[in-house]
Every structure is written in structure tokens, then in C-alpha cells.
Amino acid sequence: EVQLVESGGGLVQAGGSLRLSCAASGFTFDGYAIAWFRQAPGKKRERVSCINLSDGYTQYQDSVKARFTISSGNAKNTVYLQMDSLKPEDTAVYYCAAARIFCGISEREYDYWGQGTQVTVSS
């Protein structure tokens, strides 16, 4: 069974850092695009970042540029989201998702989803 599992969330003070991990079970990420989405209370789910594992191309939401970095492990079964200079507005449940071909902006384009990990940033 295809599974995505997020980890690394938690409570951090504003200005701090967290590193989220998305691990694949039942398949490898090679040939997929892996994205991080987040959803805060009262807000729509939004795409934070994405990486095309075939060529390493990355995309970022404007609000996280220069603060977040998406990367893949050498084995291509794990994708990370390094989050630095965290702000209270980054508080959300973060999900990883896999698309079969390319990064897409819409969650409709993603085939597999993890259960999410909570990130809370205090002021």
C-alpha cells in the first residue's frame, strides 16, 4: 500500500526552525513531484513548496521564499522541508503529497497524501 508519512512538526518560538520529513512507503519518489501543503484554521489549503525529483526543479510560495527549503534525500524516498525564521502565520497542519508527473499548484493534481503534521509557532 502506498503511504506517505510526515514527521518533524512541533511547537517552536518565532524565529526558530523546524525540519519536516516526508517518507514514502510502498514506492519511491523517483519520477514523482513532491509538494508540501499547509492548512491553517479558517484558511484554504495552500501549496508551500514542491520539488520535481526528475530534474530537481523547486517552487515556493511567495510567503516562504528565502525562509523554507525543500530537498530530497539521496535515496529519493524522503523529502524534507527546512523551515527557518518561522513566523506565527506559519502555524498550520503541513501535508506532503505526491504527483505522478509534475508539480502542480492545485491539490487535485496530487495522487497520494500524508496525514499531516502540526506546526505551531508562538510569538
Side-chain angles (χ1 to χ4, degrees):
E1 181 182 357
V2 174
Q3 294 273 89
L4 298 179
V5 180
E6 303 96 337
S7 62
L11 175 65
V12 66
Q13 193 172 15
S17 298
L18 286 172
R19 189 191 194 196
L20 305 184
S21 298
C22 175
S25 178
F27 74 111
T28 64
F29 285 158
D30 193 22
Y32 284 80
I34 308 298
W36 286 96
F37 288 79
R38 68 184 181 187
Q39 187 168 25
K43 297 182 179 179
K44 295 181 178 179
R45 188 174 297 182
E46 63 178 357
R47 197 188 73 173
V48 176
S49 185
C50 188
I51 182 168
N52 290 324
L53 296 180
S54 60
D55 60 8
Y57 178 75
T58 59
Q59 297 175 327
Y60 296 93
Q61 173 76 269
D62 287 344
S63 64
V64 307
K65 287 180 179 177
R67 298 191 299 118
F68 291 9
T69 304
I70 190 169
S71 63
S72 63
N74 291 333
K76 295 188 177 181
N77 62 350
T78 306
V79 169
Y80 304 99
L81 185 68
Q82 178 67 42
M83 304 185 295
D84 298 320
S85 301
L86 283 163
K87 304 175 181 179
E89 51 263 44
D90 295 318
T91 295
V93 177
Y94 284 70
Y95 302 87
C96 67
R100 288 188 176 274
I101 304 176
F102 301 114
C103 287
I105 192 67
S106 173
E107 61 189 87
R108 296 177 182 268
E109 301 177 65
Y110 293 83
D111 303 294
Y112 308 117
W113 291 80
Q115 294 298 115
T117 185
Q118 177 71 48
V119 172
T120 303
V121 184
S122 63
S123 60

